Amino acid sequence: MFLKFQHLDTNCIPILHSVNKTSKSTNINGGVLLPLPRHRTETEFEQKPIKKHKIPPRKPSNFDKRSVFYKPESNPDGEVENPDGEKVVIEKYKAGKGGRVWLRKEMVNKGKLHTKCSTKFVKENEVVKKAHTKCSTKFVSENEVKKSHTKCSTKFVSENEVKKAHTKCSTKFVRENEVKKADTNCSMKVLSENEVVKKVHTNCSTKWARYGGCIPAILEALETISDLDEAFKPWELTLSNKERTIILKEQRSWQRAMEIFKWFKRKGCYELNVIHYNIMIRILGKSRRWSELETLNDEMEKNGIHPINSTYGTLIDVYSKGGIREKATYWLETMNEKKMEPDEVTMGIVVQMYKTAGEFEKAEEFFKKWSIRKGLTESNPMAVIRTTPTKIAAINSDPQPHVCLSSYTYNTLIDTYGKAGRVKDASETFEQMLKEGIVPNTVTLNTMIHMFGNHGQLDKVASLMEKMENLGCPPDTRTYNILISLHAKHDNIEMATGYFKKMRSSSLEPDAVSFRTLLYALSIRHMVSEAEELVSEMDKRDLEIDEFTQSSLTRMYIEAGMLEKSWAWFRRFHVQGKMSAECYSASIDAYGERGHIVEAKKVFECCQERRNPSVLEFNVMIKAYGINKKYDEACRLMDSMAEYGAVPDKCSYNSLIQTLASADFPEKASFYLRKMQDSGLVSDCIPYCAVISSFVKLGQLEMAEQLFKEMVRFRLEPDVVVYGVLINAYADVGNVEEALRYVNAMKETGLPMNAVICNSLIKLYTKVGCLKDAEQAYYTLQRLDVGPDVYTSNCMIDLYTERSMVKPAEEIFEKLRRNGNANEFSYAMMLCLYKKIGSFEEAFEIAQKMRELGLLTDLLSYNHVLGLHASDGRFKEAVTIFKQMIESGVEPNDSTFRSLGVVLMKRGVSKKAVSNLEVMWKNDHRSGVEAWLATLDSISGLVFQDLND
């Protein structure tokens, strides 16, 4: 009845076993801890081959050999024999309440066909053909033609004619000795009557070959055929749970995945279990399709599909990576409420979530509690049931139960400790990993190298590099990238370059990260020729030069003074038309910061050529104008933003207001401040503070106070800085009442005193002579972390000097001198204090120290030292100080000449002559000073003559 088959090459025919329907209650993890690098869905539904048993055949009545459907006796192994003794595999599908059974031929005489192919049997003289995408076709003698191809539909005609229609290949077979084929995608060899014709379809993808079976063909069809009914047609009745899992997992876009998922549901004959939903949750989460994901969760609950461990892990993972931390925490809490203990994979996800958020303590606490419960579960399962949350803390103090962890978990923990700066804990975890007999992989060692390098422990980095060789774990590209980055960070560019070269000698190709890391290190050091060599190599390798690299090289040329090259480099990317707003902004900023405002403006104009500039480019250009003191241009640019469809944002206004305020244009700054207020963009007192400070600087306290009242009227809470500016302003003019009014207002709002306020108060109290209040503010300042500065300490010394309080003044002065903070004013105040109480020995010691330290530069200091020598009758020293004062360019004042007059009168010069000298100086400073010097020289000559006599 059937034609005799030639031998088929079975290597290209994947043999599939039958697949039982997956139970919803199956323990998918099987109690085995799975490492994460392999996706969980790939391992959870790997099913072991089912051992087949022969069942005695039962011949049903009225059996039609051509029938496709019949109902055999149920067999759990899925294999029966039909009445003709031919083995078939059955597969059940739910359709409504009943079930349907499809019969699939497994053996036809001596020829073996694929279990998932549909076959038509024809009359004695007709040809039996089979379609299979990955099988070669053999053409044999006149009456024997056999073909295996899953994507082809075959029509069989008369004895000497075979016609075939293929969706991708059109083939015509004609008479006995003629074979013709036209197919652009297939290569065929046409041989003689009894020879074989082989076909290789180049369009079939090999990227899914690892799955075997019909999966590659299905995935290929789904990529090339948009209509799902058409794409699934050859396999519509035979898809298993595992195959549906793989099909969903391999989809690149969430839209296509949803189409397929809905198609499965629409057919009604496919079971969609929790794993299929897990896959869809991950796909939608990665694509940030939160509303669709929520709908899917609701659908699971409605259909009675209960979430499992991996479901919660997936939800926590996608929400945390999507930046919706609250939702990720919600699912973790839901898992806890259901008393579902996370498996190791889910635990790793939660630790990763805390680590990414910088909450390292929470990550460690979660891991410790999990490992304790895990250890108790493994040693005594009932212990966990009896353990309440309050007992967990008590358990923490006990020796931790032994828990076997995967290398992925150890890597996560090491990285968590490393990012938290806990190098010791990370090292101990690494040692524990070795004790457990888990061999570190490249990821582990890369993490350790990165951690030690970031903490400056380069000796341990070298030790780990040796350990990599000993463990047979060679460095990969990431290892070298880390080493390049670390050594560049520690300013060892030679070592960084050396590792780049060593990577090549190790037969590893540098990737884009390698080039970018080294390029940045070279650019900030202005190593132009070396950077250009790397760029040339990147061009040869067709490696894309990203915007960060482009911007860093532009800045390198600018800072190296190579403006022409910087412009040529910028033009290279501008002409390509692929520059983003961020890239244009970086170039504007680079030129603007270095004072090249013309080039910055040209970059802005280039941006206008391509498109309307965004608010980002406007903001950076406004900043550039401000740096280069082009205030009018900055204002005009701000006013023109609306013409380009750009709306000023908070940054735009803040930048311009700060620029105008710091340039002493508070009126203009106030204009834009009010526009900012009208736009509803003022959310704090910072812009007001800038303008208030500008008014204060110009002495316009009334305007500053009006602006302060306006700020309060808009319900913007003043901060300590604003109060400090106003308190300091009134302290400078000695207005104690107004200054204290703002101090009391600040206290009423509950704002704490800070260093600025305390310093302002001490300055104020010094001017009005309020020692007690000044001391209280000084003690408050001492309790703060910042502590008193030199100016404040000098104010206190001045207050103590006025009251001749030597001991407290000496304590402050000695503290300043020990810390190396004592300045000229500190010494001058102490000199006055000692002179005032008559301690001339200590006073002269201070004066000598001032001369030795070069602290005689100010008029006040010169007058203090000169007055000290004059009051003690030391004529020679007084004259020397005066001449030093004139030579240094310090202009004397009335106090200077009063001290000199005392010296002259003590040497016998009449009071009238001294008065004449003072009048001469007041009438003409220059001639007056010369007259004083001449008189002092003449008196000095007499003094020296008397001494010689």
Side-chain angles (χ1 to χ4, degrees):
M1 179 177 178
F2 296 107
L3 295 175
K4 183 178 179 181
F5 274 80
Q6 292 283 337
H7 171 70
L8 291 178
D9 183 4
T10 57
N11 290 330
C12 66
I13 303 178
I15 305 301
L16 299 184
H17 57 79
S18 67
V19 182
N20 286 337
K21 184 171 66 177
T22 307
S23 172
K24 295 179 182 178
S25 61
T26 303
N27 183 359
I28 60 169
N29 290 328
V32 180
L33 298 174
L34 303 176
L36 267 188
R38 189 179 183 192
H39 199 280
R40 179 156 39 188
T41 54
E42 294 181 19
T43 58
E44 287 177 336
F45 276 85
E46 287 183 352
Q47 302 182 28
K48 297 179 180 180
I50 300 174
K51 186 177 180 181
K52 300 180 180 180
H53 304 279
K54 292 184 179 180
I55 308 298
R58 294 179 67 238
K59 186 172 182 178
S61 58
N62 301 325
F63 177 76
D64 185 357
K65 294 182 180 180
R66 295 186 182 226
S67 297
V68 176
F69 304 99
Y70 80 100
K71 295 185 179 181
E73 188 175 86
S74 175
N75 176 16
D77 288 337
E79 184 178 35
V80 297
E81 291 185 359
N82 71 5
D84 292 335
E86 298 167 332
K87 291 183 181 179
V88 297
V89 178
I90 66 169
E91 185 167 337
K92 294 183 181 180
Y93 286 83
K94 292 180 181 179
K97 295 183 179 180
R100 288 193 300 173
V101 180
W102 289 275
L103 175 63
R104 296 180 296 175
K105 286 284 185 177
E106 189 177 50
M107 296 293 292
V108 181
N109 289 346
K110 296 181 180 179
K112 185 175 180 182
L113 295 181
H114 197 288
T115 58
K116 290 194 178 179
C117 295
S118 61
T119 310
K120 291 187 178 180
F121 303 99
V122 293
K123 295 182 179 180
E124 181 176 351
N125 293 324
E126 291 182 337
V127 182
V128 178
K129 295 204 70 184
K130 181 186 170 196
H132 193 292
T133 54
K134 292 200 169 178
C135 296
S136 61
T137 308
K138 296 184 178 181
F139 299 93
V140 291
S141 59
E142 176 178 349
N143 293 319
E144 296 176 4
V145 177
K146 184 171 181 305
K147 167 130 177 94
S148 162
H149 199 298
T150 58
K151 284 191 175 177
C152 300
S153 61
T154 311
K155 292 184 180 179
F156 304 98
V157 290
S158 61
E159 180 177 347
N160 295 319
E161 293 182 357
V162 178
K163 290 185 178 179
K164 177 190 168 195
H166 191 290
T167 56
K168 293 185 177 178
C169 305
S170 63
T171 310
K172 292 185 179 179
F173 300 96
V174 290
R175 296 187 179 181
E176 178 180 289
N177 296 319
E178 295 180 2
V179 178
K180 292 184 179 179
K181 181 172 183 302
D183 193 325
T184 57
N185 288 331
C186 300
S187 61
M188 297 186 65
K189 293 182 180 180
V190 185
L191 304 174
S192 61
E193 179 179 343
N194 294 318
E195 291 183 332
V196 181
V197 179
K198 293 185 178 179
K199 171 189 168 187
V200 179
H201 197 298
T202 59
N203 199 39
C204 292
S205 174
T206 58
K207 60 186 174 182
W208 300 299
R210 67 185 183 278
Y211 291 121
C214 60
I215 289 294
I218 297 173
L219 295 174
E220 185 74 24
L222 289 172
E223 278 204 349
T224 54
I225 304 172
S226 59
D227 186 346
L228 292 180
D229 287 324
E230 183 67 25
F232 278 119
K233 189 174 182 180
W235 310 278
E236 182 175 346
L237 305 179
T238 61
L239 288 175
S240 67
N241 266 333
K242 182 179 179 182
E243 288 164 349
R244 291 195 296 277
T245 300
I246 295 171
I247 289 167
L248 288 174
K249 187 171 68 67
E250 286 292 335
Q251 297 313 304
R252 297 176 183 176
S253 71
W254 70 269
Q255 294 95 334
R256 188 61 165 171
M258 281 296 289
E259 286 178 13
I260 295 170
F261 189 71
K262 289 177 180 178
W263 188 87
F264 288 152
K265 290 190 293 183
R266 189 170 66 249
K267 286 299 175 181
C269 58
Y270 299 121
E271 176 195 9
L272 291 174
N273 56 40
V274 68
I275 294 304
H276 300 129
Y277 279 91
N278 286 357
I279 293 170
M280 291 306 302
I281 288 170
R282 181 167 295 281
I283 292 172
L284 293 173
K286 288 177 71 175
S287 301
R288 308 290 194 269
R289 307 300 303 183
W290 307 120
S291 59
E292 289 86 351
L293 198 155
E294 291 292 338
T295 303
L296 205 65
N297 283 331
D298 296 339
E299 184 181 304
M300 284 181 70
E301 185 176 353
K302 183 180 177 181
N303 294 339
I305 299 176
H306 301 292
I308 58 175
N309 222 308
S310 58
T311 311
Y312 288 110
T314 304
L315 286 166
I316 295 167
D317 189 41
V318 296
Y319 276 115
S320 62
K321 288 179 179 176
I324 309 178
R325 174 75 185 284
E326 299 79 11
K327 200 69 177 175
T329 307
Y330 163 79
W331 286 113
L332 177 60
E333 291 171 354
T334 303
M335 193 176 187
N336 292 333
E337 288 172 4
K338 294 188 176 182
K339 296 182 180 180
M340 184 180 289
E341 188 67 26
D343 60 11
E344 187 177 353
V345 177
T346 304
M347 180 276 297
I349 289 169
V350 176
V351 171
Q352 186 75 26
M353 176 184 73
Y354 286 129
K355 180 182 73 174
T356 305
E359 297 177 346
F360 303 110
E361 291 182 1
K362 284 188 177 180
E364 183 184 25
E365 182 184 2
F366 182 83
F367 168 72
K368 283 185 175 179
K369 287 182 177 180
W370 176 87
S371 58
I372 289 169
R373 293 183 66 86
K374 190 70 176 175
L376 290 173
T377 304
E378 292 175 356
S379 59
N380 184 6
M382 294 304 296
V384 179
I385 299 172
R386 294 192 298 268
T387 303
T388 61
T390 55
K391 293 181 181 178
I392 293 291
I395 297 174
N396 279 331
S397 59
D398 297 333
Q400 186 172 318
H402 179 77
V403 180
C404 295
L405 302 174
S406 67
S407 61
Y408 177 84
T409 301
Y410 276 112
N411 292 344
T412 303
L413 292 172
I414 291 168
D415 191 45
T416 302
Y417 285 128
K419 283 183 168 60
R422 296 167 58 176
V423 180
K424 183 180 178 182
D425 292 327
S427 300
E428 289 176 355
T429 305
F430 181 67
E431 294 299 327
Q432 181 64 31
M433 182 180 184
L434 297 177
K435 288 179 183 177
E436 292 287 342
I438 298 176
V439 180
N441 53 25
T442 307
V443 175
T444 315
L445 294 167
N446 285 348
T447 305
M448 295 291 292
I449 289 169
H450 194 239
M451 179 189 69
F452 284 129
N454 281 338
H455 289 83
Q457 300 180 20
L458 297 181
D459 54 334
K460 292 187 177 180
V461 170
S463 174
L464 282 172
M465 290 297 293
E466 292 179 5
K467 187 167 285 189
M468 289 185 88
E469 294 180 6
N470 297 335
L471 291 171
C473 187
D476 60 5
T477 302
R478 174 166 167 73
T479 312
Y480 284 107
N481 288 347
I482 292 170
L483 292 168
I484 292 167
S485 177
L486 291 177
H487 287 288
K489 180 181 175 183
H490 288 87
D491 204 26
N492 193 340
I493 192 65
E494 291 80 11
M495 285 288 288
T497 308
Y499 276 115
F500 187 83
K501 293 177 180 177
K502 189 175 181 180
M503 175 166 41
R504 293 179 180 176
S505 63
S506 303
S507 301
L508 289 172
E509 285 295 324
D511 59 11
V513 176
S514 315
F515 281 98
R516 284 201 300 265
T517 305
L518 189 56
L519 262 176
Y520 179 74
L522 296 172
S523 66
I524 62 176
R525 292 167 177 80
H526 303 161
M527 299 173 70
V528 178
S529 59
E530 292 85 349
E532 288 178 338
E533 286 180 12
L534 280 185
V535 170
S536 177
E537 187 173 348
M538 288 182 76
D539 289 338
K540 289 177 183 177
R541 293 169 176 260
D542 288 330
L543 287 175
E544 183 180 356
I545 296 176
D546 65 312
E547 293 184 352
F548 182 82
T549 305
Q550 189 264 321
S551 301
S552 66
L553 267 291
T554 301
R555 190 174 289 272
M556 176 192 74
Y557 284 125
I558 294 170
E559 293 178 352
M562 305 169 72
L563 278 182
E564 291 184 5
K565 278 202 169 185
S566 72
W567 186 250
W569 178 254
F570 164 77
R571 288 285 301 177
R572 167 182 168 177
F573 297 92
H574 167 66
V575 170
Q576 294 175 359
K578 296 181 180 178
M579 290 180 67
S580 66
E582 289 77 10
C583 203
Y584 280 110
S585 300
S587 298
I588 294 169
D589 196 44
Y591 283 115
E593 283 185 349
R594 291 295 171 179
H596 304 295
I597 190 63
V598 175
E599 286 75 14
K601 189 175 180 181
K602 284 168 66 178
V603 174
F604 187 77
E605 290 170 352
C606 285
C607 178
Q608 289 176 306
E609 292 175 7
R610 295 293 179 191
R611 53 176 173 76
N612 282 344
S614 69
V615 68
L616 183 59
E617 287 103 330
F618 275 103
N619 290 349
V620 179
M621 195 64 217
I622 290 169
K623 175 190 171 185
Y625 278 133
I627 291 173
N628 292 275
K629 300 180 180 179
K630 303 286 184 181
Y631 307 115
D632 291 338
E633 287 87 343
C635 293
R636 280 196 291 270
L637 188 64
M638 181 77 161
D639 297 337
S640 69
M641 288 179 71
E643 298 174 11
Y644 296 92
V647 180
D649 60 7
K650 191 174 182 178
C651 181
S652 312
Y653 283 110
N654 278 334
S655 178
L656 187 58
I657 290 168
Q658 293 283 350
T659 297
L660 295 172
S662 59
D664 298 336
F665 294 115
E667 293 84 2
K668 283 188 176 181
S670 298
F671 171 76
Y672 288 103
L673 175 59
R674 290 186 174 95
K675 288 189 72 173
M676 184 181 181
Q677 182 68 56
D678 293 340
S679 301
L681 296 173
V682 181
S683 58
D684 51 46
C685 64
I686 293 175
Y688 275 95
C689 183
V691 184
I692 289 171
S693 299
S694 185
F695 278 123
V696 167
K697 183 181 176 183
L698 297 176
Q700 301 179 27
L701 294 184
E702 290 183 5
M703 295 295 295
E705 190 166 355
Q706 286 179 13
L707 205 59
F708 178 83
K709 290 177 181 178
E710 178 184 312
M711 180 181 69
V712 174
R713 192 165 60 251
F714 283 119
R715 297 183 179 179
L716 295 169
E717 291 293 332
D719 61 6
V720 179
V721 178
V722 176
Y723 280 115
V725 168
L726 291 169
I727 292 167
N728 189 61
Y730 285 108
D732 283 337
V733 297
N735 192 333
V736 180
E737 184 179 350
E738 284 299 314
L740 291 178
R741 184 168 67 84
Y742 283 110
V743 170
N744 294 330
M746 186 190 73
K747 289 179 178 178
E748 288 175 3
T749 60
L751 291 171
M753 297 282 282
N754 66 0
V756 176
I757 303 296
C758 290
N759 287 328
S760 299
L761 288 175
I762 292 170
K763 179 168 49 175
L764 173 65
Y765 294 138
T766 301
K767 286 189 176 185
V768 297
C770 298
L771 176 61
K772 186 176 180 181
D773 294 327
E775 283 183 328
Q776 185 178 356
Y778 190 75
Y779 292 146
T780 302
L781 191 58
Q782 285 179 315
R783 290 194 295 270
L784 298 175
D785 295 334
V786 179
D789 58 12
V790 181
Y791 182 85
T792 307
S793 299
N794 287 341
C795 286
M796 293 304 299
I797 293 173
D798 190 23
L799 283 171
Y800 288 129
T801 298
E802 288 181 3
R803 289 160 179 76
S804 301
M805 299 173 68
V806 180
K807 188 174 180 180
E810 284 181 337
E811 287 177 357
I812 295 173
F813 177 73
E814 285 302 318
K815 187 175 182 179
L816 287 174
R817 191 158 64 173
R818 282 195 307 270
N819 297 332
N821 295 327
N823 60 11
E824 186 173 346
F825 188 81
S826 311
Y827 279 94
M829 290 300 100
M830 290 304 297
L831 187 149
C832 289
L833 176 60
Y834 288 129
K835 177 186 172 184
K836 187 175 183 179
I837 63 175
S839 299
F840 287 99
E841 185 177 347
E842 287 84 354
F844 282 117
E845 185 180 341
I846 293 289
Q848 183 62 30
K849 199 70 177 174
M850 289 177 73
R851 296 183 68 180
E852 291 174 1
L853 296 173
L855 294 177
L856 277 176
T857 60
D858 186 74
L859 174 62
L860 182 62
S861 302
Y862 273 113
N863 285 344
H864 282 315
V865 175
L866 184 60
L868 174 65
H869 289 297
S871 63
D872 197 45
R874 300 191 179 194
F875 178 79
K876 182 180 177 181
E877 288 83 352
V879 173
T880 303
I881 294 296
F882 178 68
K883 287 183 177 180
Q884 182 181 338
M885 178 181 177
I886 300 301
E887 289 172 0
S888 65
V890 176
E891 287 290 332
N893 63 1
D894 290 338
S895 178
T896 310
F897 292 116
R898 278 198 299 271
S899 298
L900 289 173
V902 172
V903 172
L904 289 176
M905 284 188 287
K906 284 186 177 181
R907 286 297 169 181
V909 178
S910 65
K911 186 176 181 180
K912 184 177 181 181
V914 172
S915 297
N916 289 336
L917 288 172
E918 290 176 352
V919 171
M920 288 178 64
W921 176 76
K922 287 180 180 179
N923 292 334
D924 186 349
H925 281 22
R926 184 173 182 182
S927 59
V929 170
E930 291 175 354
W932 274 99
L933 286 171
T935 304
L936 289 171
D937 284 341
S938 63
I939 298 298
S940 297
L942 294 173
V943 171
F944 289 126
Q945 188 177 359
D946 292 340
L947 290 173
N948 292 332
D949 293 343

